[in-house]
Amino acid sequence: MKFTKHTLPLLLAAVMIVPPVLAERASAEMPAGLFDFFRKEEAPETEPLPEDVPPKRGNRSPCKEKEKDCAASAEASNWYCKHMEGGKRPPMPGEMTFIDKHGGYFLGEDDKVLYLTFDAGYENGNVARILDTLKAEEVPAAFFILENLVTRNTDLVKRMNDEGHLVCNHTAKHPDMTTKSQTEFTDELAAMEKIYKDTMGTDIAKYYRPPEGKFTEANLEWANSLGYKTIFWSYAYADWDNDHQMPADKAVKKVLDGTHNGAVILLHPTSATNADILPELIREWKAMGYRFGTLDELTANGDLTKNQT
C-alpha cells in the first residue's frame, strides 16, 4: 500500500467507525501501536488493607413478600466505625444515628474504661486460651455466642458464666437478619434463648449483636421490644480469617493505636493472633490507665448521644 499525505487521515476515520466488537478483535490481532493509540490507559488499582475498609452499606433488605411484616426502616446497614488514632474517639456514622432511639450502643463514656466483647461461633483451642488470659488478668468480658458453641462446647460456655463474663445472643445460626420478618427475627433470637436455657439452666444475657454487623432500624426496634439492647462496637480490626492472621507485633500496634476512652472493642476469640497478644494488650491497657467495664455499666445511662465527643 502506497502512503500519501492523505493516508493517515483516512485510516483514522476508518478506525473511528469500526464497531466496538470488531475493533476489539482487530486490536488483538494487529501489531501493537495503532489501536494502542486509542486506548485509554488505566491507572493500576491499589487495594487498601481490608481492616481499614468500611463495609458496604445502604443496600435495601430483600423483604419483598407482602405477607412479611417489613414495616418501617427496611433499609439494611452494615455497622462500621472509622479508625482513629492518638486516643481520638470515633464519631457515630452519620447515616446510623437512629440506633440511639432503639437501644443501640457502640461507645461508652469519655472515661478511661474499655469494654471487651468477643463474637464466638465455635472453639478451635483459642477461645479457651482467651478465657485463660481473662481469668489470669481478672478482666470481665462479654461473649456473643451461637447455638453451635452451646451444644458442642457446653463446658466452655459454662466456664464463661462461672468466671463472671456475660454470655449474650448472637442468634442461633448466624443468618442475615436484615432479610427476616419480625416473626422470623423473634424466632431466631428465641431459638438461641431456648437452647441456652435448656443446656445451661439459666437465661442468656439480654444483649444482641447482629451477625456481621448487618441490621435495619426495624431490627433494632424488634430487639428492643424483646428486651434486648443491641451492642455494636467502636473498634475492630481484620482478625476473623484464621487463614490470614495479622502478625502479632502489627496487631498489637494496630489495636493500641486505635484504643480510645469508652471503647467497645470487638475481637474474635478464634483468632490465634488474638489469643497470643491478649495478655500483652491487657497489660498495656492497664499501664495506660484503663479499667475494664461491663455491658451492664455501658448501658446503665441509657443515653448514647451524650457519650460522643
Side-chain angles (χ1 to χ4, degrees), residues 103-238:
Y105 294 81
F106 82 105
L107 184 67
E109 298 280 355
D110 190 1
D111 194 8
K112 300 288 283 188
V113 57
L114 304 176
Y115 304 92
L116 288 186
T117 69
F118 297 89
D119 286 1
Y122 59 95
E123 162 66 332
N124 60 355
N126 294 318
V127 181
R129 292 174 62 202
I130 293 287
L131 284 170
D132 290 341
T133 296
L134 295 174
K135 182 177 181 180
E137 296 292 339
E138 298 182 334
V139 169
F143 288 85
F144 290 85
I145 68 170
L146 307 177
E147 174 186 275
N148 173 71
L149 199 66
V150 178
T151 56
R152 295 191 178 189
N153 303 98
T154 305
D155 290 344
L156 196 68
V157 177
K158 185 176 185 302
R159 183 180 168 190
M160 293 173 184
N161 257 323
D162 292 345
E163 294 177 3
H165 306 298
L166 286 172
V167 183
C168 312
N169 201 328
H170 198 34
T171 73
K173 299 187 182 298
H174 208 264
D176 180 352
M177 296 292 271
T178 68
T179 68
K180 304 298 183 184
S181 69
Q182 183 171 3
T183 298
E184 292 167 336
F185 182 95
T186 299
D187 289 348
E188 182 68 26
L189 293 187
M192 185 62 218
E193 291 174 356
K194 184 177 189 305
I195 191 68
Y196 187 84
K197 181 66 175 283
D198 290 348
T199 306
M200 306 302 299
T202 186
D203 293 325
I204 200 165
K206 285 286 191 171
Y207 296 107
Y208 163 64
R209 176 166 283 159
E212 298 183 6
K214 298 176 69 174
F215 68 101
T216 67
E217 184 174 2
N219 287 166
L220 302 186
E221 183 179 294
W222 300 338
N224 201 28
S225 71
L226 297 170
Y228 280 93
K229 295 178 174 67
T230 301
I231 306 299
F232 296 103
W233 58 88
S234 63
Y235 184 83
Y237 81 107

